[in-house]
Amino acid sequence: MSRVEVRKTYKLYLGGDFPRSESGRSYEVLKPQGTFLANAVRASRKDVRDAVVAARKAQPNWASATAYNRGQVLYRIAEMMETRRPELASEVAAAEGKRGSDKQIDTAIDTFVWYAGLADKLSQIAGGLNPVAGPYFNLTVPEPTGVVGIVAPESPSLAGVVARIAPALCGGNATVVLASEAHPLPSIALAECLATADVPGGVVNILTGHKDELVPILASHGDVDAIDITGVEDSAIADTEIAAAGNIKRVIRAEGSPSPTEAIAFMEFKTVWHPKGT
Amino acid sequence: MAMTEALSMELVERIGGSVDKVGAEERAAALSKRSIKKDSKLWALDLAVRCIDLTTLEGQDTPGKVRQMASKAIRPDPGDPTIPSVAAVCVYPRLVSVAKEAVKGSSVKVASVATGFPSGQMAADLRVEEIRRAIADGADEIDNVISRGALLAGDEQAIFDEVVVAKEACGDVHLKVIIEAGELATYDRVRRASLIAMAAGADVIKTSTGKISPASTLPFCLVMAEAIRDFQHETGRKVGLKVAGGIRSSKDAIRYLVIVNETLGDDWLDPDMFRIGASSLLNDLLMQIHKQRTGIYADPDRYTQD
Amino acid sequence: MAKWEYSPAPESTDVVDVKSSYDLFIGGTWVAPVSGQYMKTINPATEEVLSDIPVAGEQDVDEAVKAARAASKPWQRLDGSERAKYIFRIARVIQERAREIAVLESMNGGKPIKESRDIDVPLSAAHFFYYAGWADKLQYAFPGMKVKPLGVAAQVIPWNFPLLMLAWKIAPALATGNTVILKPAETTPLTALLFAEICQQIDLPPGVVNIITGAGETGAALVAHPDVNKVAFTGSTEVGRAIQKSIAGSGKRLSLELGGKAANIVFEDAAMDQAIEGVVNGIFFNQGHVCCAGSRLLIQESIAEAFVEKLKRRLGTLRLGDPLDKNTDIGAINSREQLDKIRRLVGIGEQEGAEMYQAPCDIPERGYWFPPTIFTGVSQSHRIAQEEIFGPVLSIMTFRTPEEAVEKANNTPYGLSAGVWTEKGSRILWMADHLKAGVVWANTFNRFDPSSPFGGFKESGFGREGGLHGLEPYVALTP
């Protein structure tokens, strides 16, 4: 007699918890061949709102943690992902097919390791002393932009979202992530790694659902400081950018492989002056 | 003494305050860029003459030198009766009687340095004795140096007491307290020393002896003027200011006047409240007045070198 | 009447040659606007007309973009070291013609000559000098990255620092190999047009810098032009937002330097006289026409009364009047429109119940003027505590603890600058950490330097001007 497997209910990751949508809605996620894979939560406007609230609440502490500490948390994520590698691999394979899935997991894990090592270098790479013409000490330091909305690319389902979350977290931002709409389940599996990796609740919030419904809400939200439009469809970019202009959001897009530039894109520069005198 | 209640270090603590060096220097530099032209320049030059303590404080000083200087103080430009007398002549104690005799019948006062000028390294009883003798010889004003060493060693009370005693010895004679700003090194201490001197009864606070460098600077003047303003605000008493040392050009003198004008205001634009201790400055002022009135640059040899 | 009235000390206008009318500077030559339209530019201190200024229409904008595009490839191919030399030349000629530029700036904009002479013009020259040196060193600015210019930059600047804002825009753009079309503000075009002459004097290749004049419509047409790769704007948040929307989806790179409502925070242990000067400088510098002006004063409650009293006394020594007079501290308000806006907001401040104090001063009969003004009894919800007035108007509030000061300071959609006054070092650093502002001046205010990045958080914009960081908005980086 074969055993009936216990299937997983995929939920949102919000404020460190795994709630269902307040709306109670879901949508069907399909396998590569087009058959039913699972139901994913179809997050609502209010879920976006709650996620932003959670992110805003969590952000100051995350930003004021030492860079060394943030680096260790990012590294811990990589450790948790490595531990859960079979699970992540099976989620990715289920979503996008077996081919390339292992490589994708490698990339995702290594991306966190890369940014783990960057956290306490960022200020030195991106900041420094400015030689102003006068008796002043003048220092520029990067600081996190704050709450960042991330529209993850549709694929690769796991490495894509990691490539956007990791650089944002590295500098001390909190994130509200809209997962790949077609392949959201690896993002939820990632959330389970995050939840066990010392990432404070609310620092990463992951929503699944329809982008055409959620992106405009995220883009126009007055308490979101920046939006990463890497996963926004070309046809929706103009509208997204118009909505973002409402509160002068920084509009960010992936430029390539891990680099300080990717992390700096999620940061502001603060310059401090002080006279030098006796 | 009736004033003892007002005289206390507690007053210094209450006024307190600190000074940011860069900010103070920038403010002084900004004020030094005021452009004083035409009538306002002439007015300032005239005021500067009236505010001068014409000074000689050299080992070489003789009665003859002092008499010549006194004559110059009374009539700075013998050829021009519109030029006013300076405020005072300033000499060493030994020469006070000579100076007093020489200025007799004029408005020019005699100021004597005292208390171990310029270092202030003199025993307490001798300090008082020196003041008494100078006054007995006819000094109208005493330019008293403080013991900077004590201040730098942290003994503020000693400075305070020293000035109280000096003022007691002076009685109604005007007491100018030289804080020697250049030796105090920081503006915080310049302010502090100014407040201590005022709280202890100084009638005038003075930047420097002129014997060390830096002597008087525009920021010293500014910081001291601000202390005077704050002291007046707290106590209602108006204390005078004297800048001395290294002030040779009319341009510099006007810069000091601008600082006094914009920090302390009208009441200090008066020889009773503001003095410039100088010697060669006077001739430059005379030349500038000539230039301003006639539009023609003057010949330095036209003015007596006393 | 004061004992000692300073005699008028006006800077001579002989050094300035204002033409009765100007053309557009496109492709290295002066061309009459196809639009056929002109507007008058005036001296706000006298309301005298200075000159007729062309209003560039869409076709003129197109010509300017074409000229910049045509110049783009050769300019990019030119060795960085050669580009540098052109930019150095610009710096030198600004220094050579400093007096003329300063006088013209004050005539056209109303700012005190001491500011145009000692701040605007020298800083502009320094900015070109600074960025000239970067032109052949870009690979060191972005180690490990390939650095490419963006192409054609459309730059729109405000009227408060006409030449300095031009320098902030053009210097980094040229150093990184971009060509530019710059539109100066409607009310202050003259120094930008003089700058065009400088470009000719230094033999800058035609089309590398194009100067087109006009009002808002010209600016809108310029940033909307499809062949522009980069848009840089300094001005109000309202217009910045409109620009961000207007170029949405175009792929154009954008940098914005927008409004502010900076808090100047004074603790009880501050060096009082320098704090007073910093507060005065913070809000009355350039008549308060400064995006980073310290327009909100937060004073620790324990010293509030004494501080305000001291401040009022200091206001009494500010000299308002002829911008060309070397002793003027407060010049003319830049335009009738701006004066009306200041008056309106000040009126609202009074209606809302804040207590107004204005320094006693004689207001000249002609021209646009507003006396130094402070409001006490202001609460956080008052409009004068929230909105950018962009004039010599200070709103004063109190606080009790450092946490409260930070909370109040950050309680605004803006985040451009902030000031902190305290003698305690660790408190300065704590405050600097917690203030959401692109520039934090501690125990100083309104200091600028070409090597120091400037720009805002939040709705004060994004992108930096100045320093190494000021290169980034003008380059494409690839790993």
Side-chain angles (χ1 to χ4, degrees):
Chain A
M1 227 173 73
S2 64
R3 180 174 175 273
V4 177
E5 65 171 333
V6 180
R7 287 188 182 166
K8 175 157 136 188
T9 304
Y10 293 89
K11 301 204 262 185
L12 304 177
Y13 181 50
L14 210 158
D17 298 328
F18 288 89
R20 292 195 172 86
S21 170
E22 63 79 38
S23 70
R25 303 180 302 177
S26 64
Y27 72 107
E28 284 189 5
V29 176
L30 306 178
K31 292 176 183 163
Q33 53 273 42
T35 54
F36 176 81
L37 174 62
N39 290 311
V41 173
R42 184 178 157 197
S44 68
R45 166 183 293 272
K46 285 186 180 167
D47 294 318
V48 174
R49 178 198 65 189
D50 292 347
V52 172
V53 169
R56 178 60 68 194
K57 189 160 169 257
Q59 197 268 332
N61 281 339
W62 179 238
S64 64
T66 64
Y68 172 49
N69 184 238
R70 275 202 306 277
Q72 289 186 94
V73 172
L74 292 185
Y75 189 79
R76 182 75 179 156
I77 297 171
E79 288 178 351
M80 288 301 102
M81 289 173 77
E82 195 75 52
T83 309
R84 292 166 172 258
R85 196 185 165 98
E87 181 197 340
L88 290 170
S90 76
E91 288 287 9
V92 169
E96 294 174 283
K98 180 88 182 77
R99 210 187 137 111
S101 61
D102 271 345
K103 181 90 180 77
Q104 194 182 146
I105 310 302
D106 291 348
T107 304
I109 294 172
D110 291 353
T111 297
F112 270 115
V113 173
W114 199 89
Y115 284 106
L118 180 66
D120 53 6
K121 322 295 182 288
L122 259 181
S123 291
Q124 288 172 319
I125 292 172
L129 198 70
N130 307 305
V132 296
Y136 291 92
F137 176 80
N138 181 291
L139 187 75
T140 297
V141 290
E143 288 194 0
T145 295
V147 172
V148 177
I150 290 176
V151 184
E154 285 300 294
S155 64
S157 59
L158 182 68
V161 69
V162 166
R164 306 316 299 145
I165 292 176
L169 293 189
C170 183
N173 294 283
T175 57
V176 175
V177 181
L178 302 186
S180 164
E181 181 173 340
H183 314 298
L185 307 185
S187 288
I188 297 304
L190 171 67
E192 287 157 9
C193 299
L194 297 172
T196 52
D198 308 332
V199 180
V203 167
V204 182
N205 304 276
I206 300 180
L207 305 179
T208 56
H210 294 336
K211 282 183 180 171
D212 60 357
E213 189 181 5
L214 301 176
V215 170
I217 298 163
L218 193 59
S220 63
H221 198 299
D223 203 27
V224 173
D225 301 301
I227 184 155
D228 182 326
I229 60 168
T230 304
V232 175
E233 261 183 75
D234 285 354
S235 61
I237 284 179
D239 284 343
T240 304
E241 291 191 353
I242 289 172
N247 67 335
I248 319 287
K249 273 189 195 67
R250 290 85 177 108
V251 178
I252 297 156
R253 214 180 302 240
E255 299 289 347
S257 49
S259 80
T261 314
E262 295 286 283
I264 292 166
F266 292 101
M267 304 192 83
E268 309 284 316
F269 290 106
K270 179 183 279 180
T271 298
V272 182
W273 291 69
H274 197 279
K276 292 194 264 193
T278 54
Chain B
M1 218 176 129
M3 283 173 70
T4 23
E5 174 126 330
L7 296 183
S8 82
M9 278 297 289
E10 191 273 326
L11 186 54
V12 176
E13 298 301 338
R14 200 159 71 229
I15 300 171
S18 55
V19 182
D20 182 79
K21 177 176 190 279
V22 173
E25 289 178 354
E26 279 174 350
R27 170 73 176 147
L31 285 173
S32 78
K33 286 185 180 169
R34 289 286 191 220
S35 176
I36 305 300
K37 302 286 185 203
K38 303 195 175 109
D39 288 353
S40 60
K41 182 170 184 183
L42 207 46
W43 191 90
L45 294 170
D46 178 79
L47 175 63
V49 171
R50 289 189 286 127
C51 289
I52 284 185
D53 281 2
L54 201 57
T55 302
T56 186
L57 294 166
E58 301 299 332
Q60 297 174 316
D61 289 350
T62 58
K65 161 78 188 172
V66 170
R67 283 189 203 103
Q68 279 176 37
M69 190 179 77
S71 158
K72 176 96 176 172
I74 298 165
R75 295 195 61 188
D77 185 349
D80 184 351
T82 66
I83 302 291
S85 301
V86 305
V89 290
C90 183
V91 296
Y92 270 117
R94 278 182 65 183
L95 292 160
V96 166
S97 56
V98 176
K100 188 67 182 177
E101 180 64 26
V103 300
K104 197 150 72 181
S106 78
S107 62
V108 176
K109 296 190 165 76
V110 174
S112 171
V113 296
T115 64
F117 183 94
S119 71
Q121 301 281 18
M122 185 182 250
D125 53 336
L126 295 179
R127 293 173 70 95
V128 177
E129 184 54 26
E130 199 177 24
I131 292 173
R132 289 208 177 111
R133 281 229 209 145
I135 292 172
D137 285 353
D140 305 298
E141 302 173 351
I142 296 294
D143 285 29
N144 156 99
V145 289
I146 60 166
S147 304
R148 283 87 72 188
L151 192 67
L152 291 169
D155 193 353
E156 295 187 335
Q157 189 66 45
I159 304 298
F160 180 86
D161 294 343
E162 182 179 293
V163 175
V164 168
V165 170
K167 182 57 192 168
E168 272 173 9
C170 283
D172 290 338
V173 167
H174 232 56
L175 174 66
K176 302 179 198 147
V177 175
I178 303 171
I179 63 167
E180 195 67 305
E183 281 186 352
L184 301 181
T186 67
Y187 295 114
D188 284 330
R189 233 187 238 117
V190 169
R191 178 180 171 86
R192 190 84 182 165
S194 300
L195 293 176
I196 294 169
M198 289 187 285
D203 298 301
V204 173
I205 53 173
K206 176 175 167 185
T207 53
S208 49
T209 60
K211 297 296 179 193
I212 69 127
S213 181
S216 186
T217 67
L218 295 171
F220 286 156
C221 173
L222 175 70
V223 168
M224 292 171 72
E226 286 167 346
I228 290 171
R229 182 205 56 205
D230 293 347
F231 186 81
Q232 186 211 352
H233 184 254
E234 191 67 28
T235 65
R237 192 161 77 83
K238 291 178 179 175
V239 175
L241 176 62
K242 178 173 173 182
V243 294
I247 304 165
R248 292 187 185 86
S249 72
S250 300
K251 200 172 191 169
D252 277 348
I254 291 174
R255 285 173 171 161
Y256 282 103
L257 287 172
V258 166
I259 287 180
V260 169
N261 184 37
E262 299 203 22
T263 311
L264 292 166
D266 277 356
D267 289 354
W268 274 261
L269 296 176
D270 187 292
D272 285 346
M273 299 304 291
F274 180 66
R275 295 286 177 83
I276 305 171
S279 43
S280 61
L281 169 66
L282 181 55
N283 272 357
D284 193 64
L285 290 169
L286 299 178
M287 282 167 59
Q288 287 299 320
I289 290 170
H290 177 79
K291 154 72 178 51
Q292 206 61 24
R293 285 179 181 166
T294 64
I296 297 164
Y297 291 101
D299 168 12
D301 284 341
R302 202 183 144 267
Y303 299 94
T304 55
Q305 305 287 336
D306 300 278
Chain C
M1 180 101 173
K3 257 190 190 173
W4 187 20
E5 291 288 347
Y6 303 159
S7 304
E11 186 66 77
S12 166
T13 57
D14 292 353
V15 287
V16 174
D17 174 27
V18 184
K19 297 188 185 72
S20 60
S21 84
Y22 284 85
D23 286 329
L24 303 168
F25 183 68
I26 295 174
T29 58
W30 297 96
V31 290
V34 181
S35 72
Q37 283 187 304
Y38 288 83
M39 60 186 183
K40 307 233 175 273
T41 192
I42 65 161
N43 179 339
T46 61
E47 299 176 58
E48 252 178 300
V49 172
L50 293 173
S51 188
D52 284 335
I53 302 298
V55 178
E58 276 191 26
Q59 217 179 320
D60 298 304
V61 167
D62 191 53
E63 290 302 322
V65 174
K66 276 186 191 147
R69 177 60 63 199
S72 178
K73 276 275 147 53
W75 183 244
Q76 291 187 16
R77 279 198 209 110
L78 197 62
D79 251 15
S81 56
E82 302 302 305
R83 276 205 315 272
K85 285 190 271 185
Y86 283 115
I87 306 168
F88 279 126
R89 280 186 187 174
I90 292 173
R92 282 307 205 211
V93 177
I94 291 175
Q95 289 171 334
E96 285 164 10
R97 299 178 68 174
R99 172 94 171 274
E100 174 190 0
I101 300 170
V103 171
L104 186 62
E105 195 76 305
S106 284
M107 285 170 71
N108 198 197
K111 67 171 61 204
I113 186 73
K114 71 170 187 188
E115 290 177 12
S116 33
R117 178 194 66 200
D118 295 343
I119 297 165
D120 294 63
V121 175
L123 273 181
S124 300
H127 214 79
F128 279 104
F129 201 92
Y130 176 83
Y131 277 106
W134 271 125
D136 54 358
K137 299 167 192 71
L138 296 173
Q139 71 271 31
Y140 306 109
F142 305 101
M145 305 297 278
K146 285 193 212 77
V147 188
K148 280 201 175 136
L150 297 171
V152 172
Q155 306 179 316
V156 178
I157 59 169
W159 44 261
N160 55 347
F161 296 92
L163 184 77
L164 186 59
M165 291 301 101
L166 173 151
W168 283 21
K169 293 283 175 290
I170 293 182
L174 297 193
T176 47
N178 298 278
T179 57
V180 307
I181 308 105
L182 176 119
K183 190 198 85 70
E186 183 181 355
T187 58
T188 54
L190 291 181
T191 46
L193 292 165
L194 189 150
F195 181 81
E197 279 176 32
I198 292 176
C199 293
Q200 289 184 310
Q201 274 192 343
I202 65 125
D203 292 322
L204 188 70
V208 170
V209 169
N210 305 275
I211 308 281
I212 60 170
T213 50
E217 281 178 22
T218 305
L222 176 58
V223 302
H225 194 287
D227 200 29
V228 155
N229 307 103
K230 157 81 193 176
V231 172
F233 171 76
T234 296
S236 70
T237 293
E238 188 191 346
V239 176
R241 198 181 336 262
I243 289 175
Q244 192 177 357
K245 284 181 182 166
S246 80
I247 66 168
S250 67
K252 291 172 190 168
R253 275 280 286 281
L254 177 65
S255 46
L256 298 172
E257 202 269 87
L258 308 175
K261 191 75 187 177
N264 218 344
I265 303 164
V266 182
F267 285 92
E268 59 190 0
D269 69 335
M272 242 8 104
D273 281 294
Q274 288 71 53
I276 291 278
E277 288 311 309
V279 169
V280 166
N281 177 274
I283 187 59
F284 301 122
F285 171 58
N286 199 29
Q287 296 74 248
H289 300 329
V290 185
C291 47
C292 52
S295 53
R296 289 183 297 153
L297 171 59
L298 297 177
I299 321 176
Q300 194 153 19
E301 219 169 270
S302 51
I303 56 157
E305 206 175 314
F307 193 87
V308 171
E309 197 181 320
K310 226 171 184 179
L311 184 61
K312 284 180 179 172
R313 204 168 4 169
R314 175 68 177 88
L315 256 51
T317 67
L318 289 171
R319 309 171 63 86
L320 176 144
D322 179 9
L324 289 176
D325 191 308
K326 290 174 227 165
N327 293 325
T328 291
D329 300 318
I330 312 276
I333 299 302
N334 185 264
S335 65
R336 159 72 59 189
E337 190 191 356
Q338 187 57 28
L339 180 60
D340 289 344
K341 184 187 168 189
I342 295 168
R343 285 181 174 154
R344 194 176 69 244
L345 280 160
V346 164
I348 289 169
E350 286 188 283
Q351 283 165 25
E352 286 181 326
E355 194 184 320
M356 184 176 77
Y357 172 84
Q358 290 186 323
C361 56
D362 297 330
I363 302 289
E365 274 176 27
R366 302 205 60 188
Y368 313 133
W369 309 93
F370 200 84
T373 301
I374 62 176
F375 277 103
T376 49
V378 180
S379 51
Q380 200 66 2
S381 60
H382 285 172
R383 280 180 67 187
I384 53 169
Q386 291 292 326
E387 290 181 36
E388 185 177 39
I389 300 174
F390 224 63
V393 182
L394 179 67
S395 299
I396 303 179
M397 288 164 279
T398 58
F399 69 91
R400 291 156 298 177
T401 63
E403 289 78 7
E404 187 184 353
V406 164
E407 194 185 308
K408 283 185 166 165
N410 288 344
N411 183 207
T412 157
Y414 296 116
L416 189 50
S417 65
V420 181
W421 299 85
T422 170
E423 290 289 279
K424 190 169 179 185
S426 59
R427 186 184 295 140
I428 290 170
L429 297 177
W430 185 87
M431 292 291 292
D433 260 2
H434 287 81
L435 288 166
K436 287 185 181 158
V439 183
V440 176
W441 284 294
N443 291 322
T444 188
F445 207 90
N446 272 345
R447 298 287 145 204
F448 307 95
D449 190 274
S451 70
S452 176
F454 182 93
F457 283 25
K458 303 199 287 184
E459 293 192 23
S460 289
F462 45 74
R464 291 293 176 266
E465 296 185 288
L468 185 154
H469 301 82
L471 295 167
E472 193 275 340
Y474 289 95
V475 295
L477 299 176
T478 45

